[in-house]
Amino acid sequence: RGRNKAPNKQLLSIVLLLFGLLYFSLCIYFGVQIPGESALQYGKQSLRKFGSSYLNGHEDDDFLFPKSFPVCDDRHTELIPCLDRNLLYQRRLKLDFSLMEHYERHCPLPERRYNCRIPPPPGYKIPIKWPKSRDEVWKANIPHTHLAREKSDQNWMVVKGNKIRFPGGGTHFHYGADKYIASIANMLKFRNNNLNNGGKIRTVLDVGCGVASFGGYLLSSDIIAMSLAPNDAHENQIQFALERGIPAHLGVLGTKRLPYPSRSFELAHCSRCRIDWLQRDGILFLELDRLLRPGGYFVYSSPEAYARDEEDQRIWRRMSALAGNMCWRVVAKQNQTVVWQKPSSNRCYFERKNGTRPPLCRDDDDPDAVWDVRMEACITPYSKHDHKTRGSGLAPWPARLTSPPPRLTDIGYSSEMFKNDSDLWVERVDRYWRLLGPKIEGDTIRNVMDMRADLGSFAAALKNKDVWVMNVAPEDGPRTLKIIFDRGLIGTTHDWCEAFSTYPRTYDLLHAWSVFSDVTKRGCSGEDLLLEMDRILRPAGFAIIRDTTSAVEFVKKYLTALRWEAVAVEAAGEDDAVVIVIEKKTWIS
C-alpha cells in the first residue's frame, strides 16, 4: 500500500524464469518433444516406478502417464537395441571378434534405454502383400542397395526403379532356389524331387541365409525354414527377408547356444555361409548336431566339398574326420554339395572307442536350456524313447500339427490336455478374427508373432490363413518350445524384459497373452514393453492383448502417446480377463 504500482522488473524476471523451468520439467516428464531435440535417452527409474504401479491398482493416477512420446531421430530408423554396434563402443565391452561375440546379444542398461518411438524412413510405404512380396519390396522401406551391387553376379537382388526385386538366386544357386531345392531332393532320391519327402521334412534351419530366398522357395513345398543370419556386414539381409514375408531371425553361431531346443529341425542348410566349422574342437558343428532330429540331414554347399586346391582339401579331410567321430555319414555328394545324415539312435555313440572326441555330454547337461547358455563341445545323446524308436516318433506334416507329440510327457502334459488347449485356441482365434474383421482383408496380415506361445495352439489355429507365426517361449517358463517345433511350427526363446532380436517394422500382428502381467510381476517395465511392441509393429499393424483388467487399462492409458487406436475391447469370458485389439496408425516423423 502506498508503493509505486508499476511492475517490479526483478520480480517479473523471477516469475518468468520459474515458469520456464516448470515448462521444461513438464516437457521432460510427460515426453513432449522439444523442437530441435534428437533421440532422447534417459534413466527410467522415475517412469519405471509408475510404469508398473498402475498394474498394481493405482487407477486414479492419470497424471503419471505421458500424453506423447518423443520421436527418435533418423539415425535410429533401424535400431535393434540388443544388437546395436554403437552400444558396444559406448560400454567398451571386451569381446572376442574371432568368436563372433560382437554379433551376439548385448542389451543396454536400464538407464541407457530409448524412450522414443522409432520413425519409419523417408518415403515409407505399406509393404507389398504376400505372395507378391516374396519377389519384390519397396526400396524406400529398406533403402540399402549395397547387396544388389555386391552380389550382382549371384542374383540375390536387383534394383528396379522404386522397388528391389529378388530373382531367387544365392551364392551357390545363381539360377534359382527352386532348381537348387529340387536338386537336393534328387540327390536324396526323394519322390518327385520334393524335399518335404511326404511330410517327413517340415522344419529347416538355414544358417547364413542371405536374403532368405532358400527359405522363401521352401514354403511352396510345405516346409518352413528358420532363416538365420547375424547383423553383420550384410546387415540388412534379415530385414529384407522379413519385409518379403519370409520367416527369419537374427542370430549367430558364436559362443552361446542358438535359442532353439534340441532335436528341432529335420534339415540344416549352409550355402557358402562362411562359418569355420572346425574351430574350438568342432563346437559349431556340435551345435548343429544338438538341433537336428534323429536321422536329420545337413546340406553343405561350399568349396571345401568340391575344390581341389590343397587348403580346401585339408579342411575337407578334417571336417570328414570330425563328422565321422560324431557318427554322421555322407549320404550324397554331387557337384558343389554334400549331404550328411545324423544317426537315428545312440548305438554308434556307444560303439566308439574310449577317448574318442568329441565326447558325449554330461548326464546333467540339459540340451533344451538355451537362454544365455554357452555351447559345449560334446554330443547330445538321444532320450530312451528316441533311441528305442530310432527316431522322433512324429507324424508327417500336416497331421503333425494336431497330433500329440511324444515329448509332451517331458513337460507334464497329457494328450487330452493338448487337445483341449488346441480346441480352446481355435475358438479364441475365431473370435479375434471377428473383432479384426472390419479392419482387415485376406492379405492384410502375413508376419505374426505370438509373444507367449505356450504349446503353439494359437499358431496352429491359423493353419488355414496365409500367415506364418514366430512363436516366442518365455525363458523362465516351462520348456514348451520343443512341443511347438514338434508340431511343425517354429519359434524362439526370449525374455520380454529385453528387446527382441528383430528390425523395426517387421510384424503385422502381435499377440500378447498375459505378457504384461508376467513382465510386471518380475519387476520389469510395462512401458518399455509397449515401446518395444511399437518398434516391432509395422505401420497399420495390429496387436491383440489378452490380459487382466488392470493390465488392459494400463495399456489404454498409453494409446494416445503411442498413436495407437483401440479397434475393439471386450471381456474374454474368463476370470478378470479382457481382450483389446489395437491398430498402430501410419505416421511420418
Side-chain angles (χ1 to χ4, degrees), residues 285-351:
F285 225 15
L286 291 159
E287 175 65 356
L288 282 190
D289 184 84
R290 181 184 72 84
L291 294 171
L292 282 173
R293 298 196 196 277
Y297 299 97
F298 177 43
V299 179
Y300 184 59
S301 296
S302 190
E304 295 84 21
Y306 64 87
R308 293 288 175 248
D309 62 90
E310 185 176 339
E311 178 61 16
D312 285 326
Q313 288 287 297
R314 184 188 66 82
I315 293 173
W316 172 250
R317 286 192 295 270
R318 291 184 60 195
M319 285 186 70
S320 297
L322 174 61
N325 286 350
M326 293 163 55
C327 295
W328 289 17
R329 64 187 183 94
V330 173
V331 292
K333 188 177 180 183
Q334 182 178 305
N335 299 329
Q336 303 177 358
T337 303
V338 62
V339 182
W340 278 287
Q341 186 175 27
K342 183 180 174 180
S344 300
S345 71
N346 291 328
R347 179 179 176 181
C348 175
Y349 302 146
F350 298 149
E351 291 177 348

Side-chain angles (χ1 to χ4, degrees), residues 202-256:
R202 165 62 181 173
T203 53
V204 167
L205 177 66
D206 187 14
V207 181
C209 64
V211 293
S213 290
F214 181 76
Y217 280 82
L218 283 174
L219 291 168
S220 61
S221 299
D222 271 342
I223 297 173
I224 189 165
M226 181 68 82
S227 297
L228 184 78
N231 187 26
D232 60 7
H234 303 149
E235 58 186 273
N236 299 99
Q237 50 194 343
I238 293 298
Q239 190 178 16
F240 278 118
L242 292 166
E243 185 76 8
R244 297 172 70 187
I246 299 171
H249 193 214
L250 280 163
V252 66
L253 282 164
T255 65
K256 297 176 182 178

Side-chain angles (χ1 to χ4, degrees), residues 389-559:
T389 59
R390 296 182 60 82
S392 57
L394 299 176
W397 178 265
R400 180 181 303 188
L401 185 66
T402 53
S403 301
R407 290 199 281 186
L408 267 180
T409 56
D410 293 359
I411 58 171
Y413 272 69
S414 66
S415 296
E416 183 180 3
M417 294 166 68
F418 175 85
K419 183 180 184 303
N420 291 340
D421 185 73
S422 298
D423 293 342
L424 175 64
W425 280 104
V426 168
E427 295 176 7
R428 288 177 174 176
V429 167
D430 181 65
R431 185 57 191 161
Y432 289 163
W433 248 250
R434 291 176 186 270
L435 295 175
L436 284 166
K439 289 282 186 176
I440 65 171
E441 298 179 0
D443 61 356
T444 301
I445 294 172
R446 173 60 183 170
N447 299 354
V448 179
M449 180 186 291
D450 190 0
M451 297 172 66
R452 182 176 174 267
D454 199 37
L455 299 180
S457 296
F458 168 80
L462 293 170
K463 63 182 179 181
N464 293 325
K465 304 188 185 302
D466 209 359
V467 304
W468 69 273
V469 181
M470 177 66 79
N471 294 279
V472 181
E475 57 86 18
D476 61 341
R479 301 273 166 75
T480 59
L481 189 56
K482 56 188 172 185
I483 306 303
I484 290 167
F485 274 96
D486 286 354
R487 299 183 76 169
L489 305 169
I490 61 170
T492 186
T493 306
H494 186 61
D495 178 358
W496 283 113
C497 291
E498 300 178 357
F500 192 77
S501 293
T502 192
Y503 284 88
R505 304 171 302 280
T506 45
Y507 285 85
D508 301 298
L509 173 65
L510 303 180
H511 177 240
W513 170 46
S514 296
V515 177
F516 283 88
S517 296
D518 292 347
V519 162
T520 52
K521 283 176 185 176
R522 298 173 56 201
C524 300
S525 168
E527 181 183 301
D528 281 349
L529 179 57
L530 282 168
L531 284 167
E532 175 62 3
M533 291 172 67
D534 185 75
R535 186 185 72 87
I536 295 172
L537 262 182
R538 287 172 167 171
F542 298 89
I544 301 173
I545 299 169
R546 186 186 202 95
D547 217 313
T548 62
T549 300
S550 61
V552 170
E553 288 299 317
F554 168 79
V555 171
K556 287 164 70 175
K557 294 289 184 180
Y558 282 90
L559 294 181

Side-chain angles (χ1 to χ4, degrees), residues 81-97:
C82 295
L83 296 172
D84 183 7
R85 291 193 187 88
N86 293 324
L87 177 68
L88 303 184
Y89 301 132
Q90 291 170 8
R91 293 182 62 183
R92 298 180 181 179
L93 299 177
K94 296 181 179 179
L95 305 173
D96 191 331
F97 281 40

Side-chain angles (χ1 to χ4, degrees), residues 276-287 322 326 358 377:
D276 179 5
W277 296 106
L278 297 172
Q279 63 173 284
R280 292 173 286 159
D281 301 319
I283 195 168
L284 305 184
F285 225 15
L286 291 159
E287 175 65 356
L322 174 61
M326 293 163 55

